[in-house]
């Protein structure tokens, strides 16, 4: 029997917002990037999601492209400094349930892996804050000490599927005993792979996918955390479309 692992998404699963957006705002505050990127582009995208007039996955993908475009040419030392500030200020802005489960897995001696579409330099720092064993995020490629504008994404289900395969070999992981925690359709592959999948505040798209997969639907737990209450729901929960 191999090792037991727990795979955690970050944005929307652990962190209550997007680390990428938090970093974007910090870069503007420090006048590293022009505020026009926020007011002319990302503010509209962000507000559309806040007002629930758009889907979360679409919001993050659009925001990611704006973030990448605005970050191109910025020095790595500046990105490291500002990302340190973001994590130090925002690392505990998280869901209580997920924080408790990370601690439980760490205490149990499980291999804890953060796997996220957020920039790798933010995911690395977040993983250290929570004593994770390892991590992988969207890889931002630097050339001559500045961000090149090139990335290796880690936000789609197929990307995370490949990453999990590499972690299985690296840590001799037994998927039949493992856990996974996610909130969007990008987490579907890792939820399907493990014995104990948990969807945390899942998007409508993920709920739909779960219901269309009988094997996943049978074994998954759905956690919804609102105000000071944590709900543990079954996959046959009725949803309302407006």
């Amino acid at each position: 029997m191999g090792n037991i692992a727990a795979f955690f998404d970050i944005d929307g699963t652990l962190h209550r917002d997007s680390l990428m957006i938090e970093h974007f705002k910090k870069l503007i505050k420090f006048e590293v990037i022009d505020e026009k990127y926020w007011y002319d582009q990302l503010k509209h995208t962000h507000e559309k999601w806040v007002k629930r007039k758009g889907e979360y996955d679409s919001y993050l993908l659009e925001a990611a492209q704006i973030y990448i475009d605005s970050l191109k040419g910025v020095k790595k030392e500046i990105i490291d400094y500002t990302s340190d500030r973001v994590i130090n200020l925002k690392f505990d802005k998280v869901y209580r349930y997920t924080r408790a489960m990370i601690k439980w897995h760490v205490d149990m001696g499980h291999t804890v892996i953060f796997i996220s579409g957020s920039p790798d330099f933010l995911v690395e720092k977040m993983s250290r804050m929570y004593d994770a064993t390892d991590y992988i995020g969207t890889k931002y490629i630097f050339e001559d000490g500045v961000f090149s504008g090139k990335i290796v994404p880690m936000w789609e289900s197929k990307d995370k599927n490949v990453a999990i395969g590499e972690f299985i070999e690296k840590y001799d992981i037994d998927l039949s005993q493992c856990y996974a925690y996610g909130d969007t359709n990008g987490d579907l592959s890792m939820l399907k792979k493990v014995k104990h999948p948990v969807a945390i505040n899942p998007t409508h798209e993920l709920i739909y996918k779960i219901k269309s997969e009988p094997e996943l639907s049978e074994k998954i737990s759905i956690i919804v955390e609102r105000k000071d209450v944590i709900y543990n729901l079954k996959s046959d929960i009725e949803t309302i479309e407006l």
Side-chain angles (χ1 to χ4, degrees):
M1 183 179 293
N3 294 315
I4 298 174
F7 301 95
F8 286 88
D9 173 55
I10 294 179
D11 295 334
T13 300
L14 171 60
H15 194 260
R16 295 200 302 268
D17 203 336
S18 163
L19 291 179
M20 178 185 68
I21 298 298
E22 299 283 5
H23 187 229
F24 191 98
K25 291 176 180 177
K26 185 65 67 178
L27 290 166
I28 290 175
K29 182 178 180 180
F30 278 57
E31 298 183 346
V32 174
I33 60 177
D34 196 318
E35 63 181 13
K36 72 178 183 180
Y37 283 103
W38 174 262
Y39 290 105
D40 294 350
Q41 300 178 59
L42 191 50
K43 183 180 180 182
H44 172 71
T45 302
H46 182 256
E47 287 184 348
K48 188 165 67 172
W49 162 246
V50 169
K51 294 176 181 178
R52 300 302 188 262
K53 293 183 178 179
E55 292 188 355
Y56 186 69
D57 284 344
S58 299
Y59 152 61
L60 280 186
L61 286 174
E62 186 177 347
Q65 190 57 59
I66 297 169
Y67 174 81
I68 291 164
D69 291 343
S70 67
L71 204 62
K72 185 176 180 180
V74 176
K75 293 181 179 179
K76 187 176 187 302
E77 62 190 65
I78 294 174
I79 291 175
D80 287 340
Y81 175 76
T82 51
S83 58
D84 278 339
R85 295 293 298 271
V86 167
I87 298 300
N88 289 337
L89 290 171
K90 303 292 185 178
F91 81 93
D92 58 352
K93 186 182 176 183
V94 298
Y95 290 111
R96 292 182 299 145
Y97 173 86
T98 316
R99 180 175 57 205
M101 294 312 300
I102 292 173
K103 184 179 186 304
W104 180 76
H105 285 295
V106 170
D107 291 346
M108 290 294 292
H110 296 164
T111 301
V112 174
I113 297 171
F114 283 9
I115 179 166
S116 171
S118 281
D120 52 355
F121 48 82
L122 291 169
V123 177
E124 176 189 14
K125 293 171 173 57
M126 196 71 165
S127 69
R128 288 203 305 263
M129 287 293 189
Y130 287 92
D131 297 321
T133 310
D134 210 336
Y135 73 93
I136 188 168
T138 294
K139 184 177 181 180
Y140 281 60
I141 299 172
F142 292 83
E143 297 174 355
D144 298 323
V146 301
F147 176 52
S148 65
K150 303 172 187 175
I151 64 165
V152 180
M154 188 52 61
W155 48 62
E156 292 190 17
S157 185
K158 62 181 178 62
D159 302 323
K160 294 188 177 185
N161 190 48
V162 172
I164 287 174
E166 294 173 353
F167 284 124
I168 289 171
E169 291 190 16
K170 184 176 181 179
Y171 293 103
D172 187 26
I173 291 169
D174 178 8
L175 281 180
S176 70
Q177 300 299 316
C178 289
Y179 300 73
Y181 303 82
D183 71 313
T184 70
N185 200 42
D187 302 313
L188 184 64
S189 62
M190 70 178 189
L191 294 173
K192 289 172 64 175
K193 277 182 172 293
V194 300
K195 182 178 181 180
H196 306 287
V198 182
I200 298 177
N201 297 324
T203 62
H204 180 268
E205 185 180 12
L206 180 57
I207 288 284
Y208 177 81
K209 289 288 187 179
I210 290 169
K211 289 185 175 184
S212 69
E213 300 269 357
E215 185 177 347
L216 176 60
S217 183
E218 181 68 25
K219 65 182 179 177
I220 199 165
S221 295
I222 296 175
I223 299 297
V224 175
E225 183 172 327
R226 287 291 181 267
K227 297 184 173 68
D228 58 351
V229 181
I230 299 172
Y231 303 89
N232 189 349
L233 308 172
K234 299 298 183 182
S235 61
D236 60 358
I237 181 174
E238 182 180 352
T239 59
I240 300 173
E241 293 190 44
L242 300 174

PDB file of all heavy atoms in Angstrom, residues 157-182:
ATOM      1  N   SER A 157      -8.784  20.899 -15.916  1.00  0.00           N
ATOM      2  CA  SER A 157      -8.834  19.556 -15.341  1.00  0.00           C
ATOM      3  C   SER A 157      -7.727  18.661 -15.901  1.00  0.00           C
ATOM      4  O   SER A 157      -7.095  17.898 -15.169  1.00  0.00           O
ATOM      5  CB  SER A 157     -10.210  18.934 -15.612  1.00  0.00           C
ATOM      6  OG  SER A 157     -10.344  17.689 -14.981  1.00  0.00           O
ATOM      7  N   LYS A 158      -7.470  18.775 -17.200  1.00  0.00           N
ATOM      8  CA  LYS A 158      -6.441  17.924 -17.824  1.00  0.00           C
ATOM      9  C   LYS A 158      -5.048  18.266 -17.311  1.00  0.00           C
ATOM     10  O   LYS A 158      -4.186  17.373 -17.185  1.00  0.00           O
ATOM     11  CB  LYS A 158      -6.495  18.057 -19.344  1.00  0.00           C
ATOM     12  CG  LYS A 158      -6.209  19.449 -19.882  1.00  0.00           C
ATOM     13  CD  LYS A 158      -6.313  19.483 -21.406  1.00  0.00           C
ATOM     14  CE  LYS A 158      -6.069  20.879 -21.978  1.00  0.00           C
ATOM     15  NZ  LYS A 158      -4.715  21.380 -21.692  1.00  0.00           N
ATOM     16  N   ASP A 159      -4.799  19.534 -16.996  1.00  0.00           N
ATOM     17  CA  ASP A 159      -3.503  19.939 -16.459  1.00  0.00           C
ATOM     18  C   ASP A 159      -3.278  19.320 -15.075  1.00  0.00           C
ATOM     19  O   ASP A 159      -2.197  18.805 -14.771  1.00  0.00           O
ATOM     20  CB  ASP A 159      -3.413  21.462 -16.345  1.00  0.00           C
ATOM     21  CG  ASP A 159      -3.634  22.159 -17.683  1.00  0.00           C
ATOM     22  OD1 ASP A 159      -3.180  21.612 -18.702  1.00  0.00           O
ATOM     23  OD2 ASP A 159      -4.257  23.229 -17.703  1.00  0.00           O
ATOM     24  N   LYS A 160      -4.317  19.377 -14.249  1.00  0.00           N
ATOM     25  CA  LYS A 160      -4.205  18.837 -12.899  1.00  0.00           C
ATOM     26  C   LYS A 160      -4.100  17.317 -12.921  1.00  0.00           C
ATOM     27  O   LYS A 160      -3.445  16.719 -12.063  1.00  0.00           O
ATOM     28  CB  LYS A 160      -5.392  19.292 -12.054  1.00  0.00           C
ATOM     29  CG  LYS A 160      -5.398  20.798 -11.830  1.00  0.00           C
ATOM     30  CD  LYS A 160      -6.453  21.258 -10.839  1.00  0.00           C
ATOM     31  CE  LYS A 160      -6.345  22.767 -10.599  1.00  0.00           C
ATOM     32  NZ  LYS A 160      -7.273  23.251  -9.562  1.00  0.00           N
ATOM     33  N   ASN A 161      -4.717  16.695 -13.921  1.00  0.00           N
ATOM     34  CA  ASN A 161      -4.638  15.244 -14.071  1.00  0.00           C
ATOM     35  C   ASN A 161      -3.192  14.806 -14.305  1.00  0.00           C
ATOM     36  O   ASN A 161      -2.710  13.838 -13.707  1.00  0.00           O
ATOM     37  CB  ASN A 161      -5.523  14.792 -15.228  1.00  0.00           C
ATOM     38  CG  ASN A 161      -5.672  13.292 -15.292  1.00  0.00           C
ATOM     39  OD1 ASN A 161      -5.948  12.635 -14.293  1.00  0.00           O
ATOM     40  ND2 ASN A 161      -5.481  12.731 -16.468  1.00  0.00           N
ATOM     41  N   VAL A 162      -2.494  15.524 -15.185  1.00  0.00           N
ATOM     42  CA  VAL A 162      -1.083  15.222 -15.464  1.00  0.00           C
ATOM     43  C   VAL A 162      -0.234  15.445 -14.215  1.00  0.00           C
ATOM     44  O   VAL A 162       0.631  14.622 -13.873  1.00  0.00           O
ATOM     45  CB  VAL A 162      -0.562  16.096 -16.627  1.00  0.00           C
ATOM     46  CG1 VAL A 162       0.952  15.934 -16.783  1.00  0.00           C
ATOM     47  CG2 VAL A 162      -1.277  15.738 -17.922  1.00  0.00           C
ATOM     48  N   ALA A 163      -0.483  16.549 -13.513  1.00  0.00           N
ATOM     49  CA  ALA A 163       0.290  16.871 -12.314  1.00  0.00           C
ATOM     50  C   ALA A 163       0.121  15.802 -11.239  1.00  0.00           C
ATOM     51  O   ALA A 163       1.097  15.390 -10.589  1.00  0.00           O
ATOM     52  CB  ALA A 163      -0.135  18.227 -11.761  1.00  0.00           C
ATOM     53  N   ILE A 164      -1.095  15.328 -11.058  1.00  0.00           N
ATOM     54  CA  ILE A 164      -1.343  14.294 -10.050  1.00  0.00           C
ATOM     55  C   ILE A 164      -0.578  13.022 -10.394  1.00  0.00           C
ATOM     56  O   ILE A 164      -0.011  12.365  -9.517  1.00  0.00           O
ATOM     57  CB  ILE A 164      -2.854  14.016  -9.918  1.00  0.00           C
ATOM     58  CG1 ILE A 164      -3.524  15.187  -9.205  1.00  0.00           C
ATOM     59  CG2 ILE A 164      -3.109  12.719  -9.144  1.00  0.00           C
ATOM     60  CD1 ILE A 164      -5.034  15.098  -9.148  1.00  0.00           C
ATOM     61  N   GLY A 165      -0.536  12.675 -11.679  1.00  0.00           N
ATOM     62  CA  GLY A 165       0.230  11.505 -12.096  1.00  0.00           C
ATOM     63  C   GLY A 165       1.690  11.610 -11.705  1.00  0.00           C
ATOM     64  O   GLY A 165       2.311  10.624 -11.266  1.00  0.00           O
ATOM     65  N   GLU A 166       2.251  12.811 -11.814  1.00  0.00           N
ATOM     66  CA  GLU A 166       3.654  13.014 -11.433  1.00  0.00           C
ATOM     67  C   GLU A 166       3.838  12.926  -9.927  1.00  0.00           C
ATOM     68  O   GLU A 166       4.830  12.368  -9.435  1.00  0.00           O
ATOM     69  CB  GLU A 166       4.121  14.376 -11.962  1.00  0.00           C
ATOM     70  CG  GLU A 166       4.151  14.433 -13.485  1.00  0.00           C
ATOM     71  CD  GLU A 166       4.436  15.823 -14.029  1.00  0.00           C
ATOM     72  OE1 GLU A 166       4.475  16.790 -13.216  1.00  0.00           O
ATOM     73  OE2 GLU A 166       4.608  15.958 -15.259  1.00  0.00           O
ATOM     74  N   PHE A 167       2.877  13.457  -9.171  1.00  0.00           N
ATOM     75  CA  PHE A 167       2.961  13.367  -7.710  1.00  0.00           C
ATOM     76  C   PHE A 167       2.811  11.924  -7.226  1.00  0.00           C
ATOM     77  O   PHE A 167       3.429  11.534  -6.227  1.00  0.00           O
ATOM     78  CB  PHE A 167       1.892  14.249  -7.058  1.00  0.00           C
ATOM     79  CG  PHE A 167       2.212  15.712  -7.083  1.00  0.00           C
ATOM     80  CD1 PHE A 167       1.319  16.624  -7.648  1.00  0.00           C
ATOM     81  CD2 PHE A 167       3.393  16.194  -6.541  1.00  0.00           C
ATOM     82  CE1 PHE A 167       1.609  17.979  -7.666  1.00  0.00           C
ATOM     83  CE2 PHE A 167       3.699  17.555  -6.560  1.00  0.00           C
ATOM     84  CZ  PHE A 167       2.798  18.448  -7.124  1.00  0.00           C
ATOM     85  N   ILE A 168       2.002  11.137  -7.918  1.00  0.00           N
ATOM     86  CA  ILE A 168       1.831   9.729  -7.546  1.00  0.00           C
ATOM     87  C   ILE A 168       3.172   9.010  -7.582  1.00  0.00           C
ATOM     88  O   ILE A 168       3.533   8.264  -6.665  1.00  0.00           O
ATOM     89  CB  ILE A 168       0.827   9.039  -8.495  1.00  0.00           C
ATOM     90  CG1 ILE A 168      -0.595   9.549  -8.229  1.00  0.00           C
ATOM     91  CG2 ILE A 168       0.872   7.521  -8.321  1.00  0.00           C
ATOM     92  CD1 ILE A 168      -1.602   9.089  -9.266  1.00  0.00           C
ATOM     93  N   GLU A 169       3.925   9.245  -8.640  1.00  0.00           N
ATOM     94  CA  GLU A 169       5.241   8.609  -8.772  1.00  0.00           C
ATOM     95  C   GLU A 169       6.232   9.178  -7.755  1.00  0.00           C
ATOM     96  O   GLU A 169       7.000   8.436  -7.139  1.00  0.00           O
ATOM     97  CB  GLU A 169       5.779   8.802 -10.189  1.00  0.00           C
ATOM     98  CG  GLU A 169       5.011   8.019 -11.247  1.00  0.00           C
ATOM     99  CD  GLU A 169       5.721   8.045 -12.582  1.00  0.00           C
ATOM    100  OE1 GLU A 169       6.922   8.395 -12.621  1.00  0.00           O
ATOM    101  OE2 GLU A 169       5.071   7.724 -13.592  1.00  0.00           O
ATOM    102  N   LYS A 170       6.202  10.469  -7.565  1.00  0.00           N
ATOM    103  CA  LYS A 170       7.171  11.121  -6.680  1.00  0.00           C
ATOM    104  C   LYS A 170       7.025  10.676  -5.239  1.00  0.00           C
ATOM    105  O   LYS A 170       8.025  10.481  -4.528  1.00  0.00           O
ATOM    106  CB  LYS A 170       7.008  12.643  -6.777  1.00  0.00           C
ATOM    107  CG  LYS A 170       8.028  13.436  -5.962  1.00  0.00           C
ATOM    108  CD  LYS A 170       7.855  14.935  -6.209  1.00  0.00           C
ATOM    109  CE  LYS A 170       8.872  15.755  -5.422  1.00  0.00           C
ATOM    110  NZ  LYS A 170       8.724  17.214  -5.679  1.00  0.00           N
ATOM    111  N   TYR A 171       5.775  10.494  -4.777  1.00  0.00           N
ATOM    112  CA  TYR A 171       5.534  10.196  -3.361  1.00  0.00           C
ATOM    113  C   TYR A 171       4.941   8.804  -3.125  1.00  0.00           C
ATOM    114  O   TYR A 171       4.525   8.506  -2.008  1.00  0.00           O
ATOM    115  CB  TYR A 171       4.604  11.257  -2.762  1.00  0.00           C
ATOM    116  CG  TYR A 171       5.250  12.619  -2.686  1.00  0.00           C
ATOM    117  CD1 TYR A 171       4.932  13.613  -3.619  1.00  0.00           C
ATOM    118  CD2 TYR A 171       6.195  12.916  -1.703  1.00  0.00           C
ATOM    119  CE1 TYR A 171       5.531  14.864  -3.555  1.00  0.00           C
ATOM    120  CE2 TYR A 171       6.800  14.159  -1.641  1.00  0.00           C
ATOM    121  CZ  TYR A 171       6.461  15.134  -2.564  1.00  0.00           C
ATOM    122  OH  TYR A 171       7.065  16.381  -2.503  1.00  0.00           O
ATOM    123  N   ASP A 172       4.939   7.953  -4.156  1.00  0.00           N
ATOM    124  CA  ASP A 172       4.394   6.591  -4.026  1.00  0.00           C
ATOM    125  C   ASP A 172       2.988   6.638  -3.417  1.00  0.00           C
ATOM    126  O   ASP A 172       2.705   6.029  -2.384  1.00  0.00           O
ATOM    127  CB  ASP A 172       5.322   5.725  -3.160  1.00  0.00           C
ATOM    128  CG  ASP A 172       4.889   4.262  -3.124  1.00  0.00           C
ATOM    129  OD1 ASP A 172       4.227   3.810  -4.086  1.00  0.00           O
ATOM    130  OD2 ASP A 172       5.176   3.577  -2.120  1.00  0.00           O
ATOM    131  N   ILE A 173       2.107   7.365  -4.064  1.00  0.00           N
ATOM    132  CA  ILE A 173       0.764   7.613  -3.544  1.00  0.00           C
ATOM    133  C   ILE A 173      -0.215   6.527  -3.992  1.00  0.00           C
ATOM    134  O   ILE A 173      -0.201   6.094  -5.144  1.00  0.00           O
ATOM    135  CB  ILE A 173       0.265   8.994  -4.023  1.00  0.00           C
ATOM    136  CG1 ILE A 173       1.077  10.114  -3.334  1.00  0.00           C
ATOM    137  CG2 ILE A 173      -1.222   9.177  -3.764  1.00  0.00           C
ATOM    138  CD1 ILE A 173       0.846  11.479  -3.934  1.00  0.00           C
ATOM    139  N   ASP A 174      -1.056   6.092  -3.067  1.00  0.00           N
ATOM    140  CA  ASP A 174      -2.112   5.130  -3.336  1.00  0.00           C
ATOM    141  C   ASP A 174      -3.435   5.883  -3.472  1.00  0.00           C
ATOM    142  O   ASP A 174      -4.053   6.254  -2.473  1.00  0.00           O
ATOM    143  CB  ASP A 174      -2.192   4.110  -2.193  1.00  0.00           C
ATOM    144  CG  ASP A 174      -3.313   3.094  -2.379  1.00  0.00           C
ATOM    145  OD1 ASP A 174      -3.935   3.076  -3.465  1.00  0.00           O
ATOM    146  OD2 ASP A 174      -3.565   2.324  -1.434  1.00  0.00           O
ATOM    147  N   LEU A 175      -3.890   6.118  -4.711  1.00  0.00           N
ATOM    148  CA  LEU A 175      -5.089   6.920  -4.938  1.00  0.00           C
ATOM    149  C   LEU A 175      -6.336   6.311  -4.309  1.00  0.00           C
ATOM    150  O   LEU A 175      -7.288   7.029  -4.003  1.00  0.00           O
ATOM    151  CB  LEU A 175      -5.320   7.108  -6.433  1.00  0.00           C
ATOM    152  CG  LEU A 175      -4.472   8.170  -7.135  1.00  0.00           C
ATOM    153  CD1 LEU A 175      -4.830   8.216  -8.615  1.00  0.00           C
ATOM    154  CD2 LEU A 175      -4.654   9.538  -6.502  1.00  0.00           C
ATOM    155  N   SER A 176      -6.333   5.002  -4.100  1.00  0.00           N
ATOM    156  CA  SER A 176      -7.514   4.351  -3.538  1.00  0.00           C
ATOM    157  C   SER A 176      -7.744   4.725  -2.079  1.00  0.00           C
ATOM    158  O   SER A 176      -8.780   4.378  -1.505  1.00  0.00           O
ATOM    159  CB  SER A 176      -7.387   2.825  -3.662  1.00  0.00           C
ATOM    160  OG  SER A 176      -6.380   2.321  -2.795  1.00  0.00           O
ATOM    161  N   GLN A 177      -6.789   5.446  -1.492  1.00  0.00           N
ATOM    162  CA  GLN A 177      -6.931   5.880  -0.095  1.00  0.00           C
ATOM    163  C   GLN A 177      -6.887   7.406   0.030  1.00  0.00           C
ATOM    164  O   GLN A 177      -6.864   7.927   1.154  1.00  0.00           O
ATOM    165  CB  GLN A 177      -5.806   5.278   0.759  1.00  0.00           C
ATOM    166  CG  GLN A 177      -5.771   3.759   0.771  1.00  0.00           C
ATOM    167  CD  GLN A 177      -7.043   3.160   1.334  1.00  0.00           C
ATOM    168  OE1 GLN A 177      -7.571   3.619   2.349  1.00  0.00           O
ATOM    169  NE2 GLN A 177      -7.569   2.136   0.665  1.00  0.00           N
ATOM    170  N   CYS A 178      -6.886   8.120  -1.088  1.00  0.00           N
ATOM    171  CA  CYS A 178      -6.603   9.553  -1.063  1.00  0.00           C
ATOM    172  C   CYS A 178      -7.844  10.445  -1.014  1.00  0.00           C
ATOM    173  O   CYS A 178      -8.969  10.009  -1.214  1.00  0.00           O
ATOM    174  CB  CYS A 178      -5.756   9.925  -2.283  1.00  0.00           C
ATOM    175  SG  CYS A 178      -4.066   9.305  -2.180  1.00  0.00           S
ATOM    176  N   TYR A 179      -7.569  11.745  -0.779  1.00  0.00           N
ATOM    177  CA  TYR A 179      -8.584  12.786  -0.655  1.00  0.00           C
ATOM    178  C   TYR A 179      -8.290  13.891  -1.662  1.00  0.00           C
ATOM    179  O   TYR A 179      -7.130  14.123  -2.028  1.00  0.00           O
ATOM    180  CB  TYR A 179      -8.561  13.402   0.746  1.00  0.00           C
ATOM    181  CG  TYR A 179      -8.811  12.449   1.880  1.00  0.00           C
ATOM    182  CD1 TYR A 179      -7.848  11.522   2.281  1.00  0.00           C
ATOM    183  CD2 TYR A 179     -10.017  12.484   2.585  1.00  0.00           C
ATOM    184  CE1 TYR A 179      -8.082  10.645   3.334  1.00  0.00           C
ATOM    185  CE2 TYR A 179     -10.255  11.621   3.654  1.00  0.00           C
ATOM    186  CZ  TYR A 179      -9.281  10.705   4.017  1.00  0.00           C
ATOM    187  OH  TYR A 179      -9.517   9.845   5.066  1.00  0.00           O
ATOM    188  N   ALA A 180      -9.346  14.578  -2.095  1.00  0.00           N
ATOM    189  CA  ALA A 180      -9.170  15.754  -2.955  1.00  0.00           C
ATOM    190  C   ALA A 180     -10.254  16.770  -2.633  1.00  0.00           C
ATOM    191  O   ALA A 180     -11.402  16.402  -2.342  1.00  0.00           O
ATOM    192  CB  ALA A 180      -9.224  15.377  -4.430  1.00  0.00           C
ATOM    193  N   TYR A 181      -9.876  18.057  -2.705  1.00  0.00           N
ATOM    194  CA  TYR A 181     -10.782  19.153  -2.363  1.00  0.00           C
ATOM    195  C   TYR A 181     -10.726  20.192  -3.475  1.00  0.00           C
ATOM    196  O   TYR A 181      -9.648  20.691  -3.803  1.00  0.00           O
ATOM    197  CB  TYR A 181     -10.356  19.795  -1.035  1.00  0.00           C
ATOM    198  CG  TYR A 181     -10.298  18.832   0.128  1.00  0.00           C
ATOM    199  CD1 TYR A 181      -9.185  18.010   0.323  1.00  0.00           C
ATOM    200  CD2 TYR A 181     -11.350  18.743   1.036  1.00  0.00           C
ATOM    201  CE1 TYR A 181      -9.126  17.119   1.394  1.00  0.00           C
ATOM    202  CE2 TYR A 181     -11.303  17.859   2.112  1.00  0.00           C
ATOM    203  CZ  TYR A 181     -10.188  17.054   2.282  1.00  0.00           C
ATOM    204  OH  TYR A 181     -10.141  16.172   3.345  1.00  0.00           O
ATOM    205  N   GLY A 182     -11.894  20.518  -4.048  1.00  0.00           N
ATOM    206  CA  GLY A 182     -11.936  21.494  -5.122  1.00  0.00           C
ATOM    207  C   GLY A 182     -13.286  22.177  -5.213  1.00  0.00           C
ATOM    208  O   GLY A 182     -14.235  21.782  -4.519  1.00  0.00           O
TER     209      GLY A 182
END
